[in-house]
Amino acid sequence: MGRVTVRRAVERVSPNGRRRRVDALAAEEPLELRVNGKALAVTMRTPGQDVELAHGFLLSEGVIGTPQDISIARFCEGTGPDGMNTYNVLDIALADGVPPPDTGVERNFYTTSSCGVCGKAALDAVKLKTRYSPALDEVRVTPEALTGFPDALRERQKVFESTGGLHAAGLFVDGELLVVREDVGRHNAVDKVLGWAVLQNLVPLRGAVLMVSGRASFELVQKAAMAGIPVLAAVSAPSSLAVELAEEQGMTLIGFLRGDSMNVYTGGERVLETA
């Protein structure tokens, strides 16, 4: 799997004693994102699908809305100790007429793999206005369909199976799982999914359900809203601000989607009665 995983020696300790073995770890490396040659953000991510990540990040920050808003994405020169290109600096050139990011989008050095908004330069920039409001989306989904999504997502988490250390996000439309992306950062996994959708010219994502493997945080609701996604489902809990934002954006927010049950926090009209 290349740089997606790293193999390291580990000492296994159990009641049966100690033994040495080789373990697979999820790779985590910094990615510096530049726009028109100017540094915009540094995020800790699992290498792979970096161009998707950049497209999804810029969509969720309100910089772009279509693939035509970007003219080119290219990796800059940068070598590691082995003299090889690290592919950790990605420059995005916006198309003519596309305004550059507002100063509020700039990050105070970097975002961690656990938080997608920690480094915001301006608190007012945290709440963004979507150009693809999900409020009027009339999609309906059955509980039976929803309860099958976590298993479908897990079956496609190939890197998680070998490392146990990655978050995942998946996009469902009409019950079909279109794409799955994994990353050490839950917000990066979502950005990669959204970036894939941008590159496939599928945004706005009308009628879609975004399924995430962890909790539903504020920034994930924001990212889903910016892509026009009407339903966000998570296997764990949402935060209070996530619920507030989902209600404000007219989204359906589902948490604790496990087994045959779930909690519907907002937008319950989109979840049909059990057959």
Side-chain angles (χ1 to χ4, degrees):
M1 295 181 184
R3 288 166 56 213
V4 177
T5 60
V6 177
R7 298 182 69 80
R8 294 293 300 267
V10 63
E11 188 175 17
R12 175 74 171 174
V13 179
S14 71
N16 297 324
R18 297 171 177 252
R19 64 185 180 91
R20 300 281 293 180
R21 54 173 286 188
V22 175
D23 195 21
L25 305 178
E28 182 177 24
E29 296 182 13
L31 175 68
E32 178 182 331
L33 177 62
R34 299 176 183 174
V35 174
N36 295 337
K38 181 182 178 182
L40 178 67
V42 176
T43 186
M44 301 303 296
R45 96 305 187 192
T46 298
Q49 295 97 30
D50 290 329
V51 173
E52 291 180 353
L53 192 160
H55 279 71
F57 176 82
L58 293 175
L59 172 72
S60 66
E61 296 291 348
V63 179
I64 68 169
T66 70
Q68 291 73 34
D69 290 337
I70 291 177
S71 62
I72 192 169
R74 59 187 176 189
F75 286 98
C76 303
E77 292 185 6
T79 57
D82 57 2
M84 302 294 289
N85 194 325
T86 61
Y87 295 98
N88 283 339
V89 180
L90 181 63
D91 190 16
I92 301 294
L94 299 177
D96 291 342
V98 178
D102 293 334
T103 55
V105 176
E106 294 176 358
R107 306 292 166 130
N108 295 327
F109 184 52
Y110 75 95
T111 64
T112 69
S113 56
S114 61
C115 179
V117 298
C118 304
K120 284 281 190 179
L123 187 59
D124 289 342
V126 171
K127 278 198 173 183
L128 300 171
K129 182 175 177 59
T130 178
R131 65 182 79 181
Y132 304 124
S133 175
L136 299 180
D137 196 311
E138 297 182 353
V139 66
R140 297 293 186 266
V141 61
T142 66
E144 291 81 7
L146 286 166
T147 55
F149 290 172
D151 286 343
L153 181 66
R154 183 64 179 271
E155 288 173 4
R156 295 269 293 273
Q157 291 181 247
K158 297 181 186 283
V159 185
F160 180 86
E161 288 297 326
S162 63
T163 66
L166 290 180
H167 294 282
L171 192 65
F172 292 83
V173 176
D174 294 330
E176 179 184 357
L177 180 54
L178 301 184
V179 63
V180 173
R181 292 291 182 261
E182 297 178 274
D183 200 278
V184 288
R186 60 174 62 87
H187 59 285
N188 289 336
V190 170
D191 278 342
K192 289 177 179 181
V193 165
L194 300 187
W196 174 88
V198 170
L199 291 167
Q200 297 295 318
N201 212 22
L202 296 177
V203 175
L205 286 161
R206 304 300 186 202
V209 178
L210 178 64
M211 179 78 215
V212 296
S213 61
R215 63 186 178 87
S217 58
F218 166 87
E219 67 264 31
L220 298 194
V221 173
Q222 175 182 287
K223 289 177 182 296
M226 295 298 282
I229 295 173
V231 183
L232 172 62
V235 299
S236 192
S239 68
S240 62
L241 195 56
V243 175
E244 290 175 20
L245 183 61
E247 187 170 49
E248 177 184 308
Q249 293 293 332
M251 290 174 58
T252 298
L253 180 59
I254 297 168
F256 294 106
L257 180 54
R258 305 170 184 173
D260 59 359
S261 65
M262 69 197 78
N263 289 349
V264 182
Y265 293 88
T266 64
E269 70 279 358
R270 291 193 178 99
V271 180
L272 298 174
E273 295 294 327
T274 300

